[in-house]
Amino acid sequence: MRVLLVEDDEPVAESLRRGLKRYGFEAEWVTTGEAALRHEGPYEVVLLDLGLPDTDGLDVCKALRERGDVPIIVISARSDETDRVVGLEIGADDYVSKPFGVREVIARIRAVMRRVQPRSSAPGSPENGPDRYGTRLTIDRKAARVRLDGEEVPLAPKEYDLLAFLTEEPGALMSREQIMEAVWDENWFGPTKTLDVHVAALRRKLAGAITIEAVRGVGFRLEIVKDEDSGAS
């Protein structure tokens, strides 16, 4: 997916570009509103900072919206509710306040894209319905709820975030660094032992539906338990 990033703060932009690339996005970076309006694309979503050096980002948002329906996610240090409301009213699809983690931005992009491009992998299923993993586990990402055998599983917020991240690519080996940045964001300076605690909690609460393998010196790999595996245990 191609992203147009409009951000004049180089450290913020570079961090976002690295994060976007890690999650499979291609980011074109411009630093001014004029450059954003000149950019011909193609791109599928715009990340737009409001505090641009040459013009107000709200004016850029309005101009981009008048040109077409490409999703626009405003990213700004402005915390004033008025800016947020105005941004949404003139065409922004979502609004993320600084400081933020890369994981939050990725989640916002995916949520917006689901709204404008409903999933068609399961014909006849409700739009944005829960994701099913095997026959026992479902994750309703819109409502942030997890069910095992139809019963809701109470998860702490970070337990849910960890599960949501690992189930995006079942079977993929995720490094501790990737997980910490995605779930606790890149500014986390606490002990990474907290990751092991949360992994242990998920193993306990979702036993029989998933396994989370620890790969020494690297990270973790989540696998969905197949019916025959759960039946044999």
Side-chain angles (χ1 to χ4, degrees), residues 45-162:
V45 64
V46 178
L47 297 179
L48 173 63
D49 182 29
L50 293 187
L52 299 173
D54 62 332
T55 186
D56 193 309
L58 290 174
D59 293 331
V60 178
C61 179
K62 183 178 181 180
L64 288 173
R65 177 54 64 235
E66 289 174 349
R67 292 183 179 186
D69 57 1
V70 173
I72 301 170
I73 300 176
V74 167
I75 51 176
S76 178
R78 302 181 187 177
S79 57
D80 193 318
E81 184 180 1
T82 301
D83 284 324
R84 181 187 297 268
V85 171
V86 171
L88 294 174
E89 286 184 344
I90 65 176
D93 295 272
D94 206 344
Y95 192 112
V96 182
S97 297
K98 296 178 181 178
F100 51 75
V102 171
R103 170 64 180 160
E104 179 183 1
V105 175
I106 298 297
R108 297 296 185 94
I109 291 175
R110 288 175 173 164
V112 166
M113 296 310 294
R114 282 198 298 268
R115 292 200 296 269
V116 299
Q117 298 175 349
R119 288 176 295 181
S120 58
S121 57
S125 63
E127 182 179 330
N128 294 335
D131 295 320
R132 179 172 292 277
Y133 299 89
T135 59
R136 303 188 61 197
L137 178 66
T138 58
I139 301 177
D140 187 337
R141 296 176 187 272
K142 185 175 181 180
R145 289 179 173 176
V146 176
R147 286 182 170 81
L148 181 64
D149 297 329
E151 297 293 327
E152 185 168 349
V153 180
L155 296 180
K158 287 303 180 185
E159 291 172 359
Y160 172 82
D161 291 344
L162 176 59

Side-chain angles (χ1 to χ4, degrees), residues 166-228:
L166 292 177
T167 51
E168 285 183 356
E169 295 183 69
L173 176 58
M174 299 295 184
S175 70
R176 298 180 74 92
E177 181 182 27
Q178 282 178 300
I179 298 171
M180 292 303 297
E181 181 169 336
V183 179
W184 280 268
D185 86 41
E186 61 185 358
N187 298 313
W188 173 263
F189 295 107
T192 61
K193 186 68 175 176
T194 190
L195 172 56
D196 300 89
V197 173
H198 284 73
V199 166
L202 289 181
R203 285 171 172 160
R204 183 180 70 255
K205 294 181 179 181
L206 300 174
I210 63 168
T211 62
I212 303 178
E213 174 191 2
V215 180
R216 181 179 293 274
V218 183
F220 295 91
R221 178 188 290 113
L222 180 144
E223 299 278 4
I224 306 301
V225 175
K226 299 178 181 179
D227 293 343
E228 55 267 28

Side-chain angles (χ1 to χ4, degrees), residues 5 7 9-23 27 29 47 75 100-103 105-106 181 185-187:
L5 172 60
E7 170 62 72
D9 188 318
E10 184 173 353
V12 171
E14 288 296 346
S15 176
L16 268 174
R17 291 178 75 191
R18 288 194 303 270
L20 289 165
K21 182 177 180 180
R22 187 166 58 252
Y23 285 92
W29 174 33
L47 297 179
I75 51 176
F100 51 75
V102 171
R103 170 64 180 160
V105 175
I106 298 297
E181 181 169 336
D185 86 41
E186 61 185 358
N187 298 313

